[in-house]
Amino acid sequence: MEEGTLSGPESVGAGQVALVTGAARGIGRQIAITLAKYGYRMGLVDKLSDELAVTAEHIARMGGEVVTVTGDVTDPENVEHCCDTVEKCFDPVDVLVNNAGYAGRFGCFAETDPDDWWEVMSTNVRGPMLFCRRLVPAMLERGHGYVVNINTRVAVRDDTPTFSALAASKAALSRFTGALALETAGRGVVVVDLNPGMVRTAMTEQRPDYDTIPDRAFLPVTVGAKAVAALVSGRYDGLHGRFVHARDDLDALVGAVADDPRARVLRFGSAGPGDLVG
């Protein structure tokens, strides 16, 4: 679809409201632009007011409706203000994309600044929790809504040394997604974890191994953004509570999880006889 086109099949989001955190740049910016192309009225949240304005300008030039709010996703009063502003400007939020994230300073845990480590946890877990706590109850009342939590493979892989804060926070986010999905199942609210793939962003460039990562490992930022649009379109509600990757064939994945209710759900494997219970 050409930039600026809001009509046709892609206008599935017409009249609906989407709120994207961390929308000032990188993955968040592209998600916001893509959802706007699909007709969503956009609420954008970020700490970086100047760069957030650039995202909003882009959407406005396309003919999209957009409101920006500068705020800290870890502050309850700021979260309340962000949500109030978007709702007053548009309508209740139909789609929440918890994209705002912080990787912290990569390095050996023994040399990590505890405050920085905990800031990663706060941004990546407390932020999504606060936005969900504010918006999900109204979604449940209306019997309609989507929550997409932007996640990463370090949540489920143990082969990434020097990423302890990021790994712990994203694993916690995945468990939160799973628990929330259980509570909202059958009530019209779909909750999904999405890994947008490795994308060249300012955050990724801070990785100590950045220069050794092969080009084939990276995905264009548009791939993950289109996956978000697909997940909130209503066609893939069968992926409720799942961990989805931007490279996935979503149609095939829906079939796979229908056959295996445990597929793509973060869980611990069996330890055999004497398993701990409770």
Side-chain angles (χ1 to χ4, degrees):
M1 183 169 104
E2 293 300 320
E3 182 174 304
T5 302
L6 298 175
S7 59
E10 294 85 357
S11 61
V12 64
Q16 296 193 59
V17 180
L19 188 156
V20 180
T21 68
R25 59 188 181 185
I27 295 169
R29 172 178 288 175
Q30 189 60 49
I31 290 171
I33 290 170
T34 299
L35 290 178
K37 288 179 181 179
Y38 279 73
Y40 289 90
R41 293 177 287 171
M42 298 304 306
L44 312 182
V45 178
D46 207 297
K47 284 182 176 180
L48 306 173
S49 58
D50 290 346
E51 292 178 82
L52 191 62
V54 173
T55 306
E57 256 181 66
H58 191 124
I59 291 171
R61 285 199 307 271
M62 290 162 34
E65 297 181 69
V66 59
V67 60
T68 63
V69 192
T70 304
D72 179 354
V73 301
T74 69
D75 184 295
E77 290 185 4
N78 272 329
V79 170
E80 187 72 22
H81 171 65
C82 291
C83 295
D84 283 349
T85 301
V86 174
E87 289 171 340
K88 287 174 182 176
C89 184
F90 298 133
D91 287 312
V93 173
D94 301 285
V95 173
L96 168 63
V97 182
N98 284 309
N99 168 75
Y102 178 51
R105 299 178 181 87
F106 297 114
C108 175
F109 173 73
E111 300 169 0
T112 298
D113 178 343
D115 290 334
D116 183 67
W117 199 98
W118 197 248
E119 185 179 351
V120 176
M121 290 293 293
S122 184
T123 302
N124 297 347
V125 184
R126 180 176 170 84
M129 178 275 292
L130 289 173
F131 274 94
C132 285
R133 184 65 187 84
R134 172 60 175 77
L135 296 174
V136 168
M139 292 181 179
L140 288 170
E141 285 184 14
R142 299 194 308 275
H144 170 76
Y146 289 89
V147 176
V148 180
N149 290 326
I150 300 302
N151 214 311
T152 172
R153 79 183 189 102
V154 302
V156 294
R157 296 283 294 271
D158 59 2
D159 60 351
T160 50
T162 75
F163 288 37
S164 65
L166 183 62
S169 67
K170 291 301 188 177
L173 179 62
S174 186
R175 294 302 301 134
F176 172 61
T177 297
L180 186 60
L182 289 174
E183 294 184 17
T184 59
R187 302 177 66 186
V189 177
V190 176
V191 186
V192 182
D193 266 330
L194 173 68
N195 178 353
M198 191 178 300
V199 176
R200 295 189 187 278
T201 65
M203 184 184 295
T204 308
E205 290 171 2
Q206 295 173 20
R207 291 177 54 134
D209 59 348
Y210 180 76
D211 292 336
T212 68
I213 301 172
D215 287 342
R216 66 179 181 277
F218 290 94
L219 281 180
V221 69
T222 52
V223 176
K226 288 178 180 178
V228 171
L231 288 168
V232 303
S233 69
R235 300 194 303 273
Y236 301 105
D237 291 1
L239 297 177
H240 177 66
R242 311 295 171 158
F243 192 104
V244 179
H245 195 286
R247 293 185 189 270
D248 285 329
D249 177 332
L250 297 183
D251 293 299
L253 187 57
V254 166
V257 301
D259 292 337
D260 180 4
R262 289 163 57 86
R264 294 299 185 89
V265 177
L266 179 61
R267 62 188 184 274
F268 292 104
S270 171
D275 285 354
L276 291 176
V277 178

Short mmCIF file of all heavy atoms in Angstrom, two decimals, residues 194-225:
data_model
loop_
_atom_site.label_atom_id
_atom_site.label_comp_id
_atom_site.label_asym_id
_atom_site.label_seq_id
_atom_site.Cartn_x
_atom_site.Cartn_y
_atom_site.Cartn_z
N LEU A 194 4.71 -10.14 20.80
CA LEU A 194 5.27 -10.12 19.45
C LEU A 194 6.75 -9.80 19.49
O LEU A 194 7.16 -8.77 20.04
CB LEU A 194 4.58 -9.09 18.55
CG LEU A 194 5.23 -8.91 17.18
CD1 LEU A 194 5.06 -10.17 16.32
CD2 LEU A 194 4.71 -7.69 16.45
N ASN A 195 7.55 -10.68 18.89
CA ASN A 195 8.96 -10.41 18.67
C ASN A 195 9.09 -9.84 17.26
O ASN A 195 8.86 -10.56 16.28
CB ASN A 195 9.77 -11.71 18.79
CG ASN A 195 11.25 -11.53 18.52
OD1 ASN A 195 11.68 -10.45 18.12
ND2 ASN A 195 12.02 -12.58 18.72
N PRO A 196 9.43 -8.55 17.11
CA PRO A 196 9.52 -7.94 15.78
C PRO A 196 10.78 -8.32 15.02
O PRO A 196 11.01 -7.83 13.91
CB PRO A 196 9.48 -6.44 16.09
CG PRO A 196 10.13 -6.34 17.43
CD PRO A 196 9.72 -7.59 18.18
N GLY A 197 11.59 -9.20 15.61
CA GLY A 197 12.85 -9.57 14.99
C GLY A 197 13.94 -8.58 15.35
O GLY A 197 13.70 -7.54 15.97
N MET A 198 15.15 -8.93 15.00
CA MET A 198 16.27 -8.02 15.25
C MET A 198 16.26 -6.93 14.20
O MET A 198 16.30 -7.20 13.00
CB MET A 198 17.61 -8.77 15.23
CG MET A 198 18.76 -7.92 15.75
SD MET A 198 20.33 -8.82 15.78
CE MET A 198 19.93 -10.18 16.87
N VAL A 199 16.17 -5.70 14.66
CA VAL A 199 16.04 -4.54 13.77
C VAL A 199 17.18 -3.57 14.08
O VAL A 199 17.60 -3.43 15.24
CB VAL A 199 14.67 -3.85 13.99
CG1 VAL A 199 14.56 -2.60 13.16
CG2 VAL A 199 13.54 -4.82 13.67
N ARG A 200 17.67 -2.91 13.06
CA ARG A 200 18.74 -1.93 13.27
C ARG A 200 18.16 -0.66 13.89
O ARG A 200 17.54 0.16 13.20
CB ARG A 200 19.43 -1.61 11.95
CG ARG A 200 20.17 -2.81 11.36
CD ARG A 200 21.02 -2.42 10.16
NE ARG A 200 21.60 -3.58 9.50
CZ ARG A 200 22.71 -4.20 9.90
NH1 ARG A 200 23.34 -3.78 10.98
NH2 ARG A 200 23.16 -5.25 9.24
N THR A 201 18.33 -0.52 15.20
CA THR A 201 17.86 0.66 15.92
C THR A 201 18.98 1.17 16.82
O THR A 201 20.00 0.50 16.98
CB THR A 201 16.64 0.32 16.80
OG1 THR A 201 17.05 -0.61 17.82
CG2 THR A 201 15.51 -0.29 15.98
N ALA A 202 18.77 2.32 17.41
CA ALA A 202 19.77 2.87 18.33
C ALA A 202 20.02 1.92 19.49
O ALA A 202 21.15 1.79 19.98
CB ALA A 202 19.30 4.23 18.84
N MET A 203 18.97 1.23 19.94
CA MET A 203 19.13 0.28 21.05
C MET A 203 19.98 -0.91 20.62
O MET A 203 20.89 -1.34 21.34
CB MET A 203 17.76 -0.21 21.53
CG MET A 203 17.82 -1.12 22.74
SD MET A 203 16.20 -1.77 23.24
CE MET A 203 15.37 -0.26 23.73
N THR A 204 19.69 -1.45 19.44
CA THR A 204 20.43 -2.62 18.96
C THR A 204 21.92 -2.29 18.77
O THR A 204 22.79 -3.12 19.05
CB THR A 204 19.86 -3.10 17.62
OG1 THR A 204 18.46 -3.27 17.74
CG2 THR A 204 20.49 -4.42 17.19
N GLU A 205 22.20 -1.09 18.32
CA GLU A 205 23.58 -0.69 18.05
C GLU A 205 24.43 -0.62 19.32
O GLU A 205 25.65 -0.58 19.25
CB GLU A 205 23.60 0.66 17.33
CG GLU A 205 23.09 0.56 15.90
CD GLU A 205 22.91 1.92 15.25
OE1 GLU A 205 23.22 2.94 15.93
OE2 GLU A 205 22.45 1.98 14.10
N GLN A 206 23.78 -0.64 20.49
CA GLN A 206 24.52 -0.61 21.75
C GLN A 206 25.02 -2.00 22.15
O GLN A 206 25.82 -2.13 23.07
CB GLN A 206 23.63 -0.06 22.87
CG GLN A 206 23.23 1.38 22.67
CD GLN A 206 22.21 1.84 23.72
OE1 GLN A 206 22.08 1.23 24.78
NE2 GLN A 206 21.51 2.90 23.42
N ARG A 207 24.55 -3.03 21.46
CA ARG A 207 24.98 -4.39 21.80
C ARG A 207 26.49 -4.54 21.62
O ARG A 207 27.05 -4.09 20.60
CB ARG A 207 24.27 -5.41 20.92
CG ARG A 207 22.80 -5.56 21.19
CD ARG A 207 22.17 -6.52 20.21
NE ARG A 207 22.83 -7.82 20.18
CZ ARG A 207 22.20 -8.99 20.20
NH1 ARG A 207 20.88 -9.02 20.24
NH2 ARG A 207 22.87 -10.12 20.15
N PRO A 208 27.17 -5.18 22.55
CA PRO A 208 28.62 -5.35 22.42
C PRO A 208 29.01 -6.22 21.23
O PRO A 208 30.12 -6.12 20.74
CB PRO A 208 29.02 -6.00 23.75
CG PRO A 208 27.77 -6.59 24.30
CD PRO A 208 26.65 -5.72 23.83
N ASP A 209 28.08 -7.05 20.76
CA ASP A 209 28.38 -7.93 19.63
C ASP A 209 27.79 -7.42 18.32
O ASP A 209 27.73 -8.16 17.33
CB ASP A 209 27.85 -9.34 19.91
CG ASP A 209 26.33 -9.35 20.13
OD1 ASP A 209 25.74 -8.26 20.30
OD2 ASP A 209 25.74 -10.45 20.14
N TYR A 210 27.40 -6.15 18.29
CA TYR A 210 26.68 -5.62 17.13
C TYR A 210 27.45 -5.81 15.83
O TYR A 210 26.89 -6.20 14.80
CB TYR A 210 26.37 -4.13 17.35
CG TYR A 210 25.63 -3.48 16.20
CD1 TYR A 210 24.27 -3.71 16.01
CD2 TYR A 210 26.30 -2.64 15.30
CE1 TYR A 210 23.59 -3.11 14.96
CE2 TYR A 210 25.62 -2.05 14.25
CZ TYR A 210 24.27 -2.29 14.09
OH TYR A 210 23.61 -1.70 13.03
N ASP A 211 28.75 -5.54 15.86
CA ASP A 211 29.56 -5.60 14.63
C ASP A 211 29.75 -7.02 14.12
O ASP A 211 30.18 -7.22 12.98
CB ASP A 211 30.93 -4.95 14.87
CG ASP A 211 30.83 -3.45 15.07
OD1 ASP A 211 29.84 -2.86 14.59
OD2 ASP A 211 31.72 -2.87 15.72
N THR A 212 29.45 -8.00 14.93
CA THR A 212 29.64 -9.40 14.51
C THR A 212 28.34 -10.04 14.03
O THR A 212 28.37 -11.18 13.55
CB THR A 212 30.18 -10.24 15.69
OG1 THR A 212 29.18 -10.36 16.70
CG2 THR A 212 31.42 -9.60 16.29
N ILE A 213 27.23 -9.34 14.13
CA ILE A 213 25.94 -9.91 13.74
C ILE A 213 25.81 -9.85 12.22
O ILE A 213 25.94 -8.78 11.62
CB ILE A 213 24.77 -9.14 14.39
CG1 ILE A 213 24.90 -9.20 15.92
CG2 ILE A 213 23.43 -9.74 13.96
CD1 ILE A 213 23.90 -8.32 16.64
N PRO A 214 25.54 -10.98 11.55
CA PRO A 214 25.42 -10.98 10.09
C PRO A 214 24.18 -10.22 9.62
O PRO A 214 23.16 -10.17 10.32
CB PRO A 214 25.32 -12.47 9.74
CG PRO A 214 24.79 -13.11 10.98
CD PRO A 214 25.35 -12.33 12.13
N ASP A 215 24.27 -9.64 8.45
CA ASP A 215 23.16 -8.86 7.92
C ASP A 215 21.87 -9.66 7.83
O ASP A 215 20.78 -9.13 8.03
CB ASP A 215 23.52 -8.33 6.51
CG ASP A 215 24.53 -7.20 6.56
OD1 ASP A 215 24.69 -6.61 7.64
OD2 ASP A 215 25.16 -6.92 5.52
N ARG A 216 22.00 -10.97 7.53
CA ARG A 216 20.80 -11.79 7.36
C ARG A 216 19.99 -11.93 8.65
O ARG A 216 18.82 -12.33 8.62
CB ARG A 216 21.18 -13.18 6.84
CG ARG A 216 21.99 -14.02 7.81
CD ARG A 216 22.32 -15.40 7.26
NE ARG A 216 23.08 -16.20 8.19
CZ ARG A 216 24.39 -16.13 8.35
NH1 ARG A 216 25.10 -15.30 7.58
NH2 ARG A 216 25.01 -16.90 9.24
N ALA A 217 20.61 -11.61 9.79
CA ALA A 217 19.91 -11.74 11.07
C ALA A 217 18.92 -10.60 11.30
O ALA A 217 18.03 -10.71 12.12
CB ALA A 217 20.92 -11.77 12.21
N PHE A 218 19.09 -9.51 10.54
CA PHE A 218 18.25 -8.34 10.75
C PHE A 218 17.02 -8.37 9.84
O PHE A 218 17.06 -8.85 8.71
CB PHE A 218 19.03 -7.06 10.47
CG PHE A 218 20.09 -6.78 11.49
CD1 PHE A 218 21.40 -7.19 11.29
CD2 PHE A 218 19.79 -6.09 12.66
CE1 PHE A 218 22.39 -6.93 12.22
CE2 PHE A 218 20.76 -5.83 13.60
CZ PHE A 218 22.07 -6.25 13.38
N LEU A 219 15.92 -7.84 10.36
CA LEU A 219 14.69 -7.68 9.59
C LEU A 219 14.43 -6.19 9.37
O LEU A 219 14.75 -5.37 10.24
CB LEU A 219 13.49 -8.27 10.34
CG LEU A 219 13.29 -9.78 10.31
CD1 LEU A 219 12.04 -10.13 11.12
CD2 LEU A 219 13.14 -10.28 8.88
N PRO A 220 13.80 -5.84 8.26
CA PRO A 220 13.36 -4.45 8.09
C PRO A 220 12.33 -4.11 9.17
O PRO A 220 11.53 -4.97 9.57
CB PRO A 220 12.71 -4.44 6.70
CG PRO A 220 13.26 -5.64 6.01
CD PRO A 220 13.51 -6.66 7.08
N VAL A 221 12.33 -2.89 9.64
CA VAL A 221 11.43 -2.49 10.70
C VAL A 221 9.97 -2.62 10.27
O VAL A 221 9.07 -2.79 11.11
CB VAL A 221 11.75 -1.05 11.15
CG1 VAL A 221 11.39 -0.05 10.09
CG2 VAL A 221 11.07 -0.73 12.47
N THR A 222 9.73 -2.58 8.98
CA THR A 222 8.35 -2.67 8.48
C THR A 222 7.73 -4.06 8.70
O THR A 222 6.50 -4.18 8.78
CB THR A 222 8.31 -2.36 6.97
OG1 THR A 222 9.27 -3.19 6.30
CG2 THR A 222 8.65 -0.90 6.71
N VAL A 223 8.56 -5.09 8.80
CA VAL A 223 8.02 -6.45 8.93
C VAL A 223 7.28 -6.61 10.26
O VAL A 223 6.14 -7.10 10.31
CB VAL A 223 9.14 -7.49 8.81
CG1 VAL A 223 8.60 -8.90 9.04
CG2 VAL A 223 9.79 -7.41 7.43
N GLY A 224 7.91 -6.19 11.34
CA GLY A 224 7.26 -6.27 12.64
C GLY A 224 6.04 -5.38 12.73
O GLY A 224 5.02 -5.75 13.34
N ALA A 225 6.11 -4.20 12.12
CA ALA A 225 4.97 -3.28 12.15
C ALA A 225 3.77 -3.87 11.42
O ALA A 225 2.63 -3.76 11.89
CB ALA A 225 5.37 -1.95 11.51
#
